[in-house]
Amino acid sequence: MDWQALWLSVKLSSITVMVLIPCAIIGSRYLAYRQFVGKSWLEALIMVPLVLPPTVIGYYLLVGLGSQSWLGQLIIQLTGQQLVFDFSGLVVASVLINIPFAVQPIQRAFEAIPEDVRDAASCCGMSPWTVLYRIELPLIWPGVLTGLVLCFAHVLGEFGVVLMMGGNIAGETKTLSIAIYDSVQAFDFTSAGTMSLVLLLFAITVLALTTSLSRRIGGQHGTPRR
Amino acid sequence: MAHHVADLHCRVEQDSFIQLSADFSVKAGEVLAVVGPSGGGKTTLLRMIAGLNRPSSGQIRYGDQTWFSEQIMLSPQQRHIGYVPQHFGLFPHLNALENIVAALDHLPKSERKARAHAWLTRVNLHEGLPDRLPAQLSGGQRQRVALARALAREPSVLLLDEPFSAVDKETRERLYLELARLKEQLSIPVIMVTHDLSEALLLADKMVLISQGQMLQYGVPHEVLAKPRNEAVARQMGLRNIFSAKVVNIEPQRGITWLKVGQHEIASNYEPEHQPGDEVRWVIPNQGIRFNSIAKGRLCRSYNKLDVVIDSVLVMGESVRLIAHVEGLSEALNAEVPLHLAEKLGLAKGVATAVALKSDLIHILESE
């Protein structure tokens, strides 16, 4: 059992979720309520990570953010370090590939709030921010929870992108799924089995918890009839 | 009860998305009904007044305050209105009391709860109901929470979107009474959108008739019903007896315009704009058509006699719908007669009889 890899995976998942979810809430709200030119293109672009093979995404990120690219050069100039083969690069990659997992459920949750409710909130004198935190956030909570769990679990299990982008540096970019792969390569099936079981149990527990939690939250006030 | 009370003037135009054109005023203490078929732009109009939609052009003024013009667009928050959306828009995660408290941000925190309780009592929602979530309330109760929430703000204007459409008939009757009672106490302009003409006749001081985004007529509901401006208005008001005629004679001193309808000459109210020889369209409401007075031979001066042949008889509950034709006239005559009267008079398919048309109620329409 590679405890360092487990810790790294949990750290990566947590940071990704902390960065991604607040941004996804703002972005999803915009997508749910605003009409603008090119909206369907933007929505399609957000979905791309769902259909592209992880290695392809990893390749583009490696090339796009590597020290050879202008973006990579710019990042080195600004921060003094490069993203590829570094933990910070894994965070950037995880955030990017998990956008659809965060945006989809949250956007659907925003869309499920009846227009009447949002109109009434504005007409009750609430500012847009007050509407967001007093009315919308409590109502989209199950969607946020779903997005959070999906992203967390997805980062935990991500393999292709991590390997392409971060390589396999212990303590820096060697996550649990890569550790499992390593163990199998080294015929260490015992630790591979333990780590796989940890991931499996984690996935089942988290999904069961979210399902029951969101059912409880959703069942409390129900969706008002339109 | 509002901090200051004023009239609302609204003139809006919209040419894109949903076409809309309207121009009307609502005095403080008055109820204005916006009536028209679904999809005609009524809700859009209400949302424009609320500040939720932006018209292409026009002006909305509340007293001396401009809510909307070419340069100005006040937000709903700045307009300080009370709005009850069609499905009430209650916050599903807050109970009835919290729903009202949420609308009272303009008051000091210590006063909000007391104000909310007072309003819930005023709309007859007390004893356990304030703690219930909207999903645990009936349609009528939800509607009253929404109304209390809108009024507790002491709004400048009260906007109601189809306030009675989402509740059952019994509740609706009760809510009519409540709104009528509330109207006496409120001194703010109230605008109510409805597709039901009878609600306008029952509750409104003025009405605006809107169809396909166009304002067809603006006036006192009973006058709009009695004197629709043109055929489109007459049809929207549910008037089915619209006929062609030719003006044959005018008697200004007696107040009569004589019309030739088929083989008959009938008297109608004198309208100076119609001269002998004019082809006109005219309308008569159901209550202007009588079957019994003829049968009893009591034809008086204010009635016109018309020979008709009954084409169809349809019993609907306690009344009978008759369709009859008049010789020389292409349009059919529609009438609704109580069942017992139809039986007494022997009204049946193929029967030739006569009807009396009350000349006061004959109204010549403007040509479109």
Side-chain angles (χ1 to χ4, degrees), chain A residues 47-61:
Chain A
M47 298 308 250
V48 162
L50 283 183
V51 288
L52 267 190
T55 40
V56 175
I57 304 171
Y59 169 76
Y60 279 121
L61 287 174

Side-chain angles (χ1 to χ4, degrees), chain A residues 114-128 130-131 134-136 138-139 220-226, chain B residues 47 50 52 76-77 81-83 85-94 99 101-105 133 135 142 149 153:
Chain A
E115 198 186 20
D116 272 359
V117 170
R118 290 186 299 118
D119 285 352
S122 310
C123 292
C124 282
M126 295 182 201
S127 71
T130 316
V131 176
R134 259 171 61 184
I135 306 300
E136 290 168 352
L139 293 176
Q220 244 172 36
H221 39 73
T223 324
R225 275 181 295 129
R226 279 241 59 177
Chain B
R47 291 173 57 87
L52 296 163
Q77 291 86 349
I81 42 146
Y83 178 47
Q86 192 172 357
H87 301 275
F88 316 137
L90 293 179
F91 310 131
H93 58 301
L94 302 179
N99 256 282
V101 170
L104 299 177
D105 280 354
L133 291 172
R142 261 181 262 173
R149 183 177 66 179
R153 287 173 58 68

Side-chain angles (χ1 to χ4, degrees), chain A residues 36-57:
Chain A
F36 51 88
V37 182
K39 182 177 168 176
S40 41
W41 285 97
L42 182 63
E43 282 178 320
L45 191 68
I46 285 172
M47 298 308 250
V48 162
L50 283 183
V51 288
L52 267 190
T55 40
V56 175
I57 304 171

Side-chain angles (χ1 to χ4, degrees), chain B residues 319-340:
Chain B
S319 68
V320 175
R321 293 229 175 135
L322 297 169
I323 299 176
H325 72 265
V326 184
E327 203 168 322
L329 211 61
S330 55
E331 298 94 345
L333 179 93
N334 295 273
E336 213 172 307
V337 181
L339 182 61
H340 63 90

Side-chain angles (χ1 to χ4, degrees), chain B residues 31-33 183 192 199-207 220-221:
Chain B
V31 175
L32 174 94
K183 197 177 111 179
M192 171 180 95
E199 283 175 4
L201 293 168
L202 207 59
L203 298 165
D205 302 294
K206 290 272 184 64
M207 69 171 275
V220 177

Side-chain angles (χ1 to χ4, degrees), chain B residues 254-268:
Chain B
R254 285 179 69 200
I256 298 176
T257 295
W258 287 96
L259 301 174
K260 187 155 176 68
V261 179
Q263 311 295 321
H264 301 79
E265 263 187 36
I266 62 171
S268 73

Side-chain angles (χ1 to χ4, degrees), chain A residues 3-51:
Chain A
W3 290 103
Q4 193 186 38
L6 177 67
W7 164 240
L8 193 73
S9 282
V10 170
K11 190 169 99 174
L12 181 62
S13 291
S14 309
I15 294 176
T16 304
V17 160
M18 278 189 277
V19 173
L20 184 55
I21 295 296
C23 301
I25 290 176
I26 304 295
S28 310
R29 186 177 190 278
Y30 195 83
L31 283 174
Y33 299 148
R34 295 292 174 88
Q35 296 304 324
F36 51 88
V37 182
K39 182 177 168 176
S40 41
W41 285 97
L42 182 63
E43 282 178 320
L45 191 68
I46 285 172
M47 298 308 250
V48 162
L50 283 183
V51 288

Side-chain angles (χ1 to χ4, degrees), chain A residues 154-174:
Chain A
H154 189 230
V155 177
L156 219 52
E158 185 52 55
F159 180 77
V161 176
V162 173
L163 195 62
M164 293 290 280
M165 187 63 188
N168 184 0
I169 305 163
E172 190 66 44
T173 61
K174 186 177 176 185

